[in-house]
Amino acid sequence: MRRHRVSAGAVLLALVAVLAASWAAGQQQAEKLAEGPGANLVLAKCSLCHELGHITRIRQTREDWADTVKLMIRRGAPVSPAEETVLVEYLTKYYGR
């Protein structure tokens, strides 16, 4: 039978990777959106590419949120015109200036 040797560095690297992944998953779960009409849509559409913390810490005007949502749509976010309106309303109400 042939034995494989694993270096201490490889074990440490694997441990760090597992701990980092666990921490990131916990952070994502810890962040929550304000409850309200549109929260589920923000979760479904915006969190495809962004962590919730990125969304919740930004404070923008209605115009800024509208511009941001339009930019994300131009970059490929799968958002219909009706959903765009809901997203902008929600983001402005709960994360506006």
Side-chain angles (χ1 to χ4, degrees):
M1 181 181 291
R2 189 172 180 191
R3 292 186 178 197
H4 296 281
R5 294 189 68 157
V6 178
S7 72
V11 171
L12 181 60
L13 184 61
L15 179 60
V16 168
V18 168
L19 290 174
S22 296
W23 178 83
Q27 287 298 103
Q28 180 71 7
Q29 290 174 353
E31 287 289 339
K32 295 193 187 232
L33 293 172
E35 289 187 31
N40 288 337
L41 188 59
V42 170
L43 187 61
K45 301 296 181 168
C46 303
S47 69
L48 289 172
C49 299
H50 302 287
E51 293 180 0
L52 291 179
H54 179 72
I55 298 163
T56 61
R57 73 177 160 261
I58 297 173
R59 300 291 179 194
Q60 299 190 102
T61 65
R62 175 179 300 281
E63 183 178 278
D64 291 337
W65 276 121
D67 289 345
T68 299
V69 171
K70 284 184 187 314
L71 175 62
M72 295 303 110
I73 292 169
R74 283 195 306 271
R75 290 183 176 176
V79 175
S80 71
E83 291 171 330
E84 179 181 352
T85 300
V86 173
L87 289 172
V88 171
E89 290 297 320
Y90 174 85
L91 292 166
T92 299
K93 181 173 183 177
Y94 296 100
Y95 302 104
R97 269 199 241 168

